[in-house]
Amino acid sequence: MPSHIEAVADAAAAAADFARNCGLADEAAFGIDMAVREAITNAIVHGNKEDDTKQVEMTLNCSSQAVEIEVSDQGAGFDPVAVPDPTAAENLMKTSGRGNFLMRSFMDEVEWVSRPEGGTIVRMVKRV
């Protein structure tokens, strides 16, 4: 998908529909919708810097045990350890910086992997 913020809602809705079709309950599908919104937004805004020449990819896989989602960008890379803790007192009133926290809250597993060719892959798993 293009690195346009307008793509976020359609990608999140598609992921939630996919999760429901894989047998997840509406509550879990809602969590996937929220996590995908954050992952896609991060990929577009922080990864690709809203560069029209760069793409964001989302892959969805379903098994009897889980739904797995990967979101990748073509940015400069990302270190999740460098992100300030949004629950720390000095960050509570900030208007941004909660995306990774929300992804971890809604999903059972979240990891960030640097792509050898550049960019980052966010891999998220929700168990059935």
Side-chain angles (χ1 to χ4, degrees):
M1 70 190 77
S3 291
H4 296 167
I5 206 71
E6 295 82 11
V8 172
D10 288 343
D17 286 344
F18 181 84
R20 283 186 202 91
N21 289 335
C22 290
L24 267 67
D26 285 344
E27 183 176 327
F30 172 79
I32 287 174
D33 180 298
M34 295 299 291
V36 167
R37 284 178 191 276
E38 295 298 334
I40 297 283
T41 300
N42 285 347
I44 291 171
V45 175
H46 302 295
N48 289 349
K49 309 284 188 208
E50 299 186 62
D51 182 338
D52 287 341
T53 65
K54 296 181 178 179
Q55 296 288 306
V56 173
E57 293 181 13
M58 179 173 72
T59 58
L60 306 165
N61 290 299
C62 177
S63 72
S64 60
Q65 291 90 28
V67 171
E68 180 179 320
I69 302 162
E70 290 187 354
V71 175
S72 61
D73 65 53
Q74 298 176 314
F78 173 71
D79 179 6
V81 176
V83 176
D85 178 359
T87 64
E90 66 272 16
N91 298 324
L92 290 177
M93 299 307 290
K94 291 185 177 177
T95 58
S96 63
R98 294 175 180 82
N100 295 349
F101 175 78
L102 291 171
M103 285 186 266
R104 288 184 173 123
S105 297
F106 287 115
M107 303 299 285
D108 295 312
E109 296 176 31
V110 180
E111 67 177 343
W112 290 264
V113 179
S114 294
R115 298 169 40 162
E117 66 274 25
T120 302
I121 300 170
V122 180
R123 180 180 167 272
M124 303 182 286
V125 174
K126 186 71 174 178
R127 289 186 205 87
V128 175

